[in-house]
Amino acid sequence: MKDLGEDCEPATRSEQKSDPIFTFHIQESDNNVISDVFEKSSSLNRIVSVTAYSKIFINNSHKRKSSDQSYLNSGERQIALCTILLAIQNSCFAKEIQAIRENVPISFKVPLISLNLFVEEYGVLRVRGQLQNSSLPFQAKHPVNLPASRKIIYLLMREYHVANLHAGPTLLSNVLRQKFWIIVVKRLVRKIVHKCVVCIRFRKNRSQQLTLYLLNLPTSNFLILFFNH
């Protein structure tokens, strides 16, 4: 599967506009279908694929058009992933999004109080941040705000962990925050790294190698090493 950060990033962008890929509308049926798929799958690739094929089927049904398409192109996967993220936002932050759009004061949930949130023209909830005058890309300055409670977010983070060569907690947090602002991200990142089978094996092998190295040291060198620490 491609890097998901690239999937959600458009080819071109101006400072005032957001992703052109978000120009479609999220319908209530999309939220229902996506929620059902989330709970029954442990693979982000499968969720994106099912969502993409579902949208193709719905679109063809409306146009009364038959299709035997057996593969997905990058654009269709891109739309599917963005549909998923928008559906999650509409489900978890519905009141906040409506209040921001109507410019009505609202008591945000505790994790959202310190975030200067805004809804862009395509309906995506983003963090305004403190880097507005920097030369960073729009997505880095205004990452997409996402909840930590949904399974799909955990799968998204795990995909980034693997795609970045099993990045550690600090590196994974920094990579994610270039595009997404996930609430309590540090706790989830540590959970992903500590539960990763590949990382567990690596830590075990590294510990065994260090033990063997210390056992093979001459007695004098071992004592010097011990007292220096």
Side-chain angles (χ1 to χ4, degrees):
M1 186 173 180
K2 286 180 60 181
D3 179 11
L4 295 177
E6 294 178 0
D7 282 346
C8 274
E9 190 169 353
T12 59
R13 171 190 291 282
S14 65
E15 284 300 311
Q16 292 76 24
K17 294 184 178 180
S18 178
D19 300 339
I21 204 66
F22 285 111
T23 54
F24 58 86
H25 297 286
I26 298 295
Q27 300 177 353
E28 189 65 29
S29 59
D30 291 331
N31 291 337
N32 295 334
V33 171
I34 292 171
S35 298
D36 292 339
V37 173
F38 286 174
E39 300 303 322
K40 297 178 182 179
S41 177
S42 59
S43 169
L44 181 62
N45 185 36
R46 187 178 306 160
I47 292 174
V48 172
S49 298
V50 170
T51 305
Y53 280 120
S54 299
K55 290 189 70 67
I56 292 173
F57 175 78
I58 293 171
N59 292 335
N60 289 338
S61 298
H62 291 164
K63 297 176 182 178
R64 296 184 180 180
K65 175 183 175 183
S66 60
S67 174
D68 57 351
Q69 183 175 345
S70 59
Y71 66 92
L72 297 170
N73 57 43
S74 59
E76 290 163 342
R77 298 183 67 83
Q78 185 177 1
I79 291 175
L81 178 60
C82 294
T83 302
I84 292 169
L85 297 183
L86 277 174
I88 291 174
Q89 284 193 338
N90 290 336
S91 175
C92 296
F93 305 126
K95 293 182 180 179
E96 289 79 4
I97 292 174
Q98 183 178 1
I100 293 173
R101 282 175 172 169
E102 298 176 355
N103 199 21
V104 176
I106 187 172
S107 56
F108 289 110
K109 298 173 184 176
V110 175
L112 302 178
I113 291 177
S114 60
L115 303 179
N116 189 5
L117 300 175
F118 72 100
V119 179
E120 62 177 34
E121 58 183 306
Y122 299 120
V124 183
L125 185 64
R126 293 182 180 273
V127 178
R128 199 175 299 277
Q130 300 176 350
L131 302 173
Q132 299 181 56
N133 298 323
S134 68
S135 58
L136 293 172
F138 182 88
Q139 254 183 334
K141 291 190 291 186
H142 307 295
V144 178
N145 188 47
L146 295 172
S149 58
R150 294 303 180 93
K151 182 179 179 181
I152 183 64
I153 304 303
Y154 179 85
L155 298 178
L156 177 70
M157 295 171 65
R158 192 174 67 182
E159 191 77 18
Y160 266 89
H161 171 64
V162 175
N164 288 275
L165 305 178
H166 293 271
T170 303
L171 176 58
L172 182 56
S173 297
N174 292 335
V175 170
L176 286 167
R177 281 184 173 169
Q178 292 178 12
K179 299 182 184 299
F180 310 107
W181 189 274
I182 303 171
I183 301 172
V184 295
V185 66
K186 291 184 179 179
R187 184 174 62 189
L188 276 179
V189 161
R190 287 195 295 267
K191 180 179 179 181
I192 288 170
V193 173
H194 287 298
K195 283 193 172 184
C196 176
V197 176
V198 175
C199 294
I200 291 173
R201 290 175 179 173
F202 176 77
R203 288 194 297 268
K204 182 179 179 181
N205 291 337
R206 186 173 59 179
S207 176
Q208 291 176 345
Q209 290 174 359
L210 178 61
T211 303
L212 290 174
Y213 172 75
L214 293 176
L215 289 175
N216 291 329
L217 281 175
T219 306
S220 57
N221 290 353
F222 179 79
L223 291 175
I224 293 172
L225 181 65
F226 177 78
F227 284 109
N228 283 341
H229 287 273

